Amino acid sequence: GVMPEASKTDVVIVGAGPAGLMLATWLAHTGIHARLLDKRQTKIFTGQADGLQCRTQEIFESFGFADRVAKEAYKMEEFSMWNPSPSGVLRRDERFPDTPVGISRFHESVLHQGRIERFFLDNIGKYAEMTGAGVSVERGVLPLSIEIDEETAEDPDAYPVTMVLRHLTEEEATPEQSKSGSGVEDGLFRSNLAPDDTADLVRRTSGKEGREEVVRAKYVVGCDGAHSWVRSQLGFRLEGEPTDYIWGVLDIVPITNFPDIRNRCSVHSEASGSLMVIPRENSLVRLYVQLNEVQPDAETGRADRTSITPEKILKAAQKTLAPYTLEYKHCHWWTAYQIGQRVGTQFSKLERVFLAGDAVHTHSPKAGQGMNVSMQDSYNLGWKIAHCVQKKAPRSILKTYQSERRRIAQDLIAFDHKFSRLFSGRPAKDAADEAGVDLKEFKRVFLQGAMFASGLSVDYGRSMLVFKEGSAKEQGDGTDVVGNVKVVASKQELAKNCPVGMRFPTFQVLNQSGGRPWQFQQWLKSDGRYRVVLFAGNVKDTIQQKRVRTWCEEAEKEGSWLKRHTPKDKAINSIIEILTIHSSARKETELLDDFPALLHPLRENDMGWDYEKVFVDDVSYHHGDGRAYEGYGVDKARGCVVAVRPDGYTGFIGELEDVDGLDSYFAACLLDV
Ligand code: FAD
């Protein structure tokens, strides 16, 4: 038949899993027009990934739904290691905190992927309405082809990507669910539905079933999972190997005399394999169980998963846990898989079509990283695409997606490789037993890995968005070039504990006007704005007061780092928000007298001063002393200036006088208006 005329949209996201939903969330918060397509008819209701790391929860908070996780998730406090004693009897070797102490306000929590998708969908709905973004989630839609017009790829006004989409009929869009004979459905077990998911079961017809459609987009992002269609259309590959380890996963309400069933545990038996215990919400426990009896085919390297049943997984778990007993009456979900450890060679084509999440990296789930790293990929990408669509930023910032995220994926695979080997191996009998796993090494790798697994050790390299020391072409005058951008190195020593390239840390500060304590991070919302954190120092000192006033005057000059990027008809804080933390005694300081108006600007529509911009490092009435300057490693008298990216990563640090540095930082990240 004749194709209908192409419609246009800014962004098409293929795949509404965690990575696609995170991307759509950014676009809803920043007001971009996007279509989120999934070939499946419904979201996931249960099963699959369940671990939420610290950084992921910080990101959820920045979008406004970390509270829902706090209410529903199980918080894992303790990790226990169970190992064979010298005589081969299973015993508890050690216990320690599951999350390294002091790294974040959030700790590792577990909740199944279906609930997390629910929170995303609700948040997208709310913000798309507020910002007028027009982000639609469309199910039962399968892309048939994708083409990029290379000629217009660099034209910011063009829609160079053309896709043909097919709206599936109900039968086509409903995946095969029931695993043979087990009686428990995989992924869509409907009696386990949360009440607020039931609306999703009512089939909404689009009226387009069975039809094809052509859509033209500025950007397309493939978040379509491990077997990514987008990736194969681009001709990109994943590099790496399948491993020989076959694992079974059981989500059950256990009946057991094993004492640590409400802890996260690693269990290495002497000769009957290993398992991991993940305590969960609603009395559930997830067991990751090594299945030694199912071996990959010698020729293909693939295992036959169809022979695996929940009963077989239970039997293997019982052997590992002996002499403790384990039974269940309720199985919520189960699956089995063979681990492949692979990373994509390319994360984008022409910075017009991107890949994120499992589409560019696959690995074992036991470190709880799949969903987290996938969401963090698209968290890195979403605001960059939004800025380019809005023509706030040059398209060259899109190159930093691959340079920042590919290294994370490689680190992830390296970590997973080490961790899986140590986890799946048989414990060594003694120091001479080289084929066995040294359990002390397992502990060491686990503890090192905990920091990596939290997501907080991410340290993005030098780029046009990260002004730090690093290898790039020196120009002789101390500055150098990344792409066409002049990079002025940050003065890291001014904020010792805010490494440039890492997420800006958080400490308690008080609102200057009302005295209310806040974690400063709560003000770093994911709304697409850059932030300049002005550590104003001791503003009651005359010389320091002068420095702060001069800094504000510079910012207010025509053509300044602030004015150049802010449209005249928009609020002064609309592109770059200035937040102040000072260190004078709160009770001796007055907002209106001691701080220039720029730091607490008038709100739009004559709504009075903005009282939520100036904070102080001082003792609170009820919640102690945040000691923020000490925490950030900033001098209490002189302060400093820190630029923070829209995703919360530190981009630049300078003195109050380093206006040129700030100027070149924003000249790199943002276009002039
Ligand atoms: P996915 O969650 O895979 O989302 C991809 C989405 O794209 C899906 O909704 C899919 O329907 C859609 N899609 C795919 N192809 C197309 C197409 N051509 N057109 C339109 N839409 C398409 N992780 C753990 O940490 N622990 C576990 O126990 C665990 N178990 C898992 C069990 C299973 C059966 C699966 C599939 C995954 C499991 N994972 C587990 C992995 C975890 O779910 C992923 O790491 C995480 O979901 C990655 O998110 P993503 O958004 O990148 O991809």
Side-chain angles (χ1 to χ4, degrees):
V2 182
M3 280 284 172
E5 192 137 323
S7 62
K8 282 183 181 168
T9 185
D10 291 326
V11 184
V12 172
I13 306 166
V14 183
L21 288 163
M22 174 66 85
L23 192 72
T25 303
W26 255 130
L27 302 179
H29 281 250
T30 47
I32 304 295
H33 194 272
R35 293 175 67 177
L36 173 59
L37 313 176
D38 202 292
K39 66 179 178 185
R40 282 197 323 236
Q41 200 56 258
T42 52
K43 72 187 262 294
I44 286 192
F45 293 111
T46 186
Q48 301 206 7
D50 58 5
L52 290 172
Q53 307 295 355
C54 305
R55 179 61 189 147
T56 302
Q57 293 174 73
E58 292 181 359
I59 292 169
F60 287 0
E61 184 187 55
S62 76
F63 283 121
F65 61 92
D67 55 324
R68 296 190 72 182
V69 172
K71 269 187 203 144
E72 291 189 30
Y74 184 77
K75 291 203 176 75
M76 286 201 294
E77 283 294 309
E78 199 169 48
F79 188 103
S80 312
M81 283 188 169
W82 286 75
N83 295 324
S85 71
S87 61
V89 180
L90 191 64
R91 51 118 205 244
R92 185 195 291 126
D93 239 3
E94 272 188 272
R95 325 192 224 204
F96 38 83
D98 180 65
T99 301
V101 174
I103 60 169
S104 170
R105 290 166 294 140
F106 297 98
H107 307 148
E108 190 175 12
S109 297
V110 257
L111 182 64
H112 73 78
Q113 190 175 327
R115 291 308 293 156
I116 293 152
E117 293 187 6
R118 169 88 275 141
F119 304 161
F120 271 120
L121 289 165
D122 292 349
N123 193 267
I124 290 166
K126 175 175 161 189
Y127 279 88
E129 197 172 313
M130 270 167 60
T131 62
V135 176
S136 61
V137 184
E138 298 165 52
R139 307 217 180 251
V141 180
L142 186 71
L144 299 179
S145 70
I146 180 167
E147 257 171 59
I148 311 174
D149 176 15
E150 306 203 356
E151 306 246 296
T152 56
E154 288 309 315
D155 174 357
D157 293 309
Y159 291 78
V161 195
T162 304
M163 295 180 84
V164 178
L165 309 177
R166 179 176 164 75
H167 294 264
L168 302 176
T169 61
E170 184 166 19
E171 301 84 82
E172 288 172 319
T174 309
E176 207 182 302
Q177 280 307 313
S178 187
K179 290 241 171 152
S180 49
S182 72
V184 178
E185 294 187 352
D186 173 357
L188 289 167
F189 189 45
R190 293 189 173 185
S191 66
N192 292 322
L193 275 186
D196 57 353
D197 272 347
T198 47
D200 278 351
L201 284 183
V202 181
R203 202 173 132 61
R204 274 156 295 192
T205 48
S206 61
K208 296 182 191 163
E209 286 79 2
R211 285 203 219 148
E212 288 180 10
E213 152 186 33
V214 184
V215 56
R216 291 176 57 199
K218 291 190 165 165
Y219 296 96
V220 172
V221 187
C223 300
D224 48 350
H227 305 286
S228 173
W229 172 87
V230 177
R231 184 184 70 223
S232 69
Q233 291 299 303
L234 297 178
F236 294 166
R237 285 177 310 109
L238 295 185
E239 282 181 344
E241 295 299 326
T243 63
D244 291 343
Y245 310 121
I246 316 287
W247 288 80
V249 188
L250 281 184
D251 285 354
I252 55 175
V253 180
I255 303 165
T256 181
N257 61 359
F258 180 67
D260 284 0
I261 199 71
R262 295 309 293 170
N263 280 4
R264 182 171 175 209
C265 305
S266 66
V267 181
H268 277 94
S269 72
E270 190 186 32
S272 309
S274 342
L275 63 78
M276 182 169 277
V277 179
I278 308 277
R280 287 262 304 265
E281 73 279 7
N282 297 334
S283 311
L284 288 170
V285 170
R286 169 166 290 189
L287 299 175
Y288 285 112
V289 185
Q290 190 181 345
L291 300 176
N292 288 328
E293 281 158 30
V294 189
Q295 287 300 327
D297 183 275
E299 252 168 52
T300 63
R302 309 292 305 173
D304 173 19
R305 289 186 304 169
T306 55
S307 66
I308 301 171
T309 61
E311 293 72 28
K312 274 198 186 154
I313 304 174
L314 178 70
K315 275 223 172 62
Q318 285 168 333
K319 273 194 191 164
T320 310
L321 267 189
Y324 298 100
T325 58
L326 174 73
E327 297 289 344
Y328 67 81
K329 285 189 183 141
H330 175 65
C331 177
H332 196 75
W333 181 81
W334 71 278
T335 189
Y337 59 87
Q338 183 177 9
I339 307 166
Q341 291 164 326
R342 298 186 175 95
V343 190
T345 47
Q346 275 159 287
F347 281 38
S348 106
K349 178 140 191 196
L350 300 171
E351 285 81 40
R352 284 292 179 179
V353 180
F354 296 88
L355 298 172
D358 277 12
V360 269
H361 42 72
T362 64
H363 46 85
S364 78
K366 280 174 307 300
Q369 291 296 288
M371 181 167 59
N372 290 278
V373 176
S374 295
M375 292 189 283
Q376 284 163 32
D377 282 346
S378 51
Y379 185 66
N380 179 287
L381 179 62
W383 65 273
K384 294 174 185 172
I385 290 183
H387 276 201
C388 289
V389 169
Q390 291 164 333
K391 296 188 202 157
K392 283 183 193 161
R395 278 194 17 91
S396 47
I397 68 164
L398 295 170
K399 283 195 193 300
T400 64
Y401 171 62
Q402 168 155 337
S403 66
E404 295 185 336
R405 294 310 295 178
R406 185 153 188 271
R407 227 199 57 223
I408 304 296
Q410 286 168 324
D411 291 351
L412 171 64
I413 302 306
F415 167 63
D416 191 58
H417 194 75
K418 247 200 261 178
F419 193 66
S420 318
R421 186 182 57 79
L422 291 168
F423 197 78
S424 304
R426 162 185 68 74
K429 293 196 175 60
D430 49 46
D433 177 6
E434 283 183 13
V437 167
D438 174 1
L439 292 172
K440 288 208 181 64
E441 194 196 346
F442 176 71
K443 180 183 173 191
R444 205 174 41 72
V445 169
F446 178 83
L447 289 178
Q448 273 176 1
M451 191 58 203
F452 175 78
S454 73
L456 293 168
S457 60
V458 166
D459 185 359
Y460 292 141
R462 170 198 186 79
S463 74
M464 57 195 289
L465 302 178
V466 178
F467 274 26
K468 70 177 175 189
E469 301 289 343
S471 53
K473 246 190 310 180
E474 287 276 341
Q475 292 183 111
D477 60 352
T479 63
D480 64 348
V481 171
V482 173
N484 296 321
V485 173
K486 192 173 135 185
V487 173
V488 181
S490 292
K491 292 180 179 161
Q492 183 64 69
E493 67 280 7
L494 299 178
K496 293 183 196 67
N497 307 329
C498 308
V500 181
M502 294 182 79
R503 78 97 164 80
F504 189 69
T506 185
F507 298 94
Q508 178 179 288
V509 293
L510 311 182
N511 184 279
Q512 168 60 34
S513 304
R516 175 175 169 178
W518 288 97
Q519 279 293 326
F520 188 68
Q521 196 173 41
Q522 292 176 281
W523 289 97
L524 305 180
K525 300 210 166 90
S526 292
D527 55 14
R529 289 186 290 177
Y530 279 87
R531 298 211 161 67
V532 166
V533 182
L534 171 63
F535 285 93
N538 177 14
V539 292
K540 296 310 280 184
D541 173 85
T542 323
I543 294 171
Q544 183 67 9
Q545 175 67 226
K546 181 94 201 351
R547 291 181 76 211
V548 170
R549 290 198 182 267
T550 306
W551 186 82
C552 290
E553 282 159 20
E554 289 292 329
E556 287 186 300
K557 280 186 187 157
E558 278 318 306
S560 74
W561 56 268
L562 180 60
K563 291 276 175 108
R564 265 168 67 186
H565 309 293
T566 310
K568 285 218 158 44
D569 58 342
K570 289 267 172 66
I572 194 70
N573 273 306
S574 59
I575 309 292
I576 305 167
E577 182 184 35
I578 303 171
L579 295 171
T580 303
I581 306 174
H582 74 90
S583 66
S584 311
R586 176 173 166 265
K587 291 177 189 168
E588 287 162 23
T589 314
E590 299 297 342
L591 182 74
L592 301 188
D593 300 340
D594 295 315
F595 298 92
L598 179 70
L599 303 182
H600 52 90
L602 284 170
R603 288 179 298 167
E604 278 173 280
N605 307 323
D606 292 332
M607 299 288 272
W609 298 116
D610 191 334
Y611 294 98
E612 312 284 9
K613 296 273 186 278
V614 178
F615 300 87
V616 53
D617 178 14
D618 203 344
V619 187
S620 72
Y621 285 115
H622 305 289
H623 297 277
D625 187 351
R627 300 159 80 104
Y629 269 68
E630 200 180 308
Y632 286 115
V634 175
D635 184 273
K636 273 192 126 168
R638 291 181 55 82
C640 70
V641 175
V642 180
V644 182
R645 303 180 355 172
D647 55 0
Y649 287 77
T650 302
F652 173 78
I653 301 172
E655 293 271 16
L656 273 64
E657 288 72 23
D658 290 327
V659 174
D660 283 352
L662 207 54
D663 197 76
S664 55
Y665 181 69
F666 286 115
C669 310
L670 292 167
L671 295 169
D672 288 3
V673 291

